[in-house]
Amino acid sequence: MTDRAIIDWPAWTDSPPGRYVLDWEQTQLDRVVSDVFGYHALQLGLPQLDALRENRMPCRGLVLDAASGASAPYAFPRGAGHAGTAPGLPAPAGRSAVWCDLLDLPFEAQSVDLIVMPHTLEFTSDPHRLLREAERVLMPEGQLIILGFNSLSLWGARQSVGKMTGRPFVPAAVDLIAFTRLKDWIKLLGFDLERGRFGCYRPPLGSDQWLSRYGFMEAAGDRWWPIFGATYMIKAIKRVRGMHLVGPLKVKKPVLAAGLAPAATPNTRNHTQ
């Protein structure tokens, strides 16, 4: 990768630093989503990452923002006509894709068990509203997973300088959101933080050769300066005051938007948690 500004996800994710980041994020997601159970799971944005591939829920969907225009890391397909389901979308096999306004999700309140937002907040015009939408559609005890670039890191510092000079290092339509700031936001919405993890401690370099030379910083950073990783992952649980789970509950399965059909007919019963 040259030093020129790479501002779109498809180009950036094919670059050495992009592959480095996505490899770490895919590994973390594969680990945490595998033990999240229920019926409906959604990935909001970033089709270059398969956030739900290790999740076993029967209804898994990829939701892409049709309202962001050029600021989104993908293009609304020509001929699709309007927001909704459309053929030829970049959804993994066995999953449905839905185009909509992420700030106005077309799903019923308290109807989704898991939402994954990989860098989604960095491309929306209103991160607060997007988080409120996620809280609205999540079921009580539903789980929210957020991935983003850490502004309090070497990558964040290079991004700040790069934006001032017109040469940003990572693609983002808005300023990077600090991990501590995001924790405050989700706590205000009634979420309990279950897990937070940082990664990608190598300097913001543009070649595989130079990134490999700093491989020793992964273990050192995880031990000595963990909060300064280039990326972070937050896993939070939606809590509802006054609600107590006393045993298995039979919950009517709500209907999602058209096109979110089960990937396969399950042979065992699914339980929400």
Side-chain angles (χ1 to χ4, degrees), residues 71 119-128 149 151 159 163 168 170-177 181 185:
S71 66
H119 299 278
T120 318
L121 295 177
E122 295 158 357
F123 282 93
T124 181
S125 59
D126 193 341
H128 293 276
F149 290 111
S151 63
Q159 178 74 357
K163 291 192 73 173
V170 299
V174 299
D175 292 335
L176 305 186
I177 303 171
R181 186 181 180 191
W185 289 358

Side-chain angles (χ1 to χ4, degrees), residues 39-70:
Y39 195 76
H40 295 118
L42 298 176
Q43 173 183 341
L44 306 187
L46 193 58
Q48 292 82 11
L49 191 69
D50 190 357
L52 300 174
R53 72 180 184 182
E54 292 298 322
N55 184 262
R56 289 170 282 178
M57 294 189 199
C59 292
R60 293 171 292 162
L62 173 64
V63 184
L64 300 177
D65 196 350
S68 292

Side-chain angles (χ1 to χ4, degrees), residues 94-134:
R95 253 157 283 176
S96 302
V98 174
W99 291 91
C100 65
D101 184 354
L102 293 187
L103 300 180
D104 188 16
L105 295 172
F107 309 116
E108 297 177 2
Q110 301 187 9
S111 64
V112 179
D113 302 282
L114 170 65
I115 293 179
V116 182
M117 298 198 301
H119 299 278
T120 318
L121 295 177
E122 295 158 357
F123 282 93
T124 181
S125 59
D126 193 341
H128 293 276
R129 182 175 170 184
L130 178 54
L131 285 172
R132 288 195 297 270
E133 273 294 280

Side-chain angles (χ1 to χ4, degrees), residues 215-236:
F216 69 92
M217 293 185 67
E218 295 294 342
D222 199 37
R223 179 176 181 182
W224 298 109
W225 53 88
I227 65 171
F228 298 118
T231 58
Y232 58 75
M233 180 186 68
I234 288 179
K235 182 179 179 183

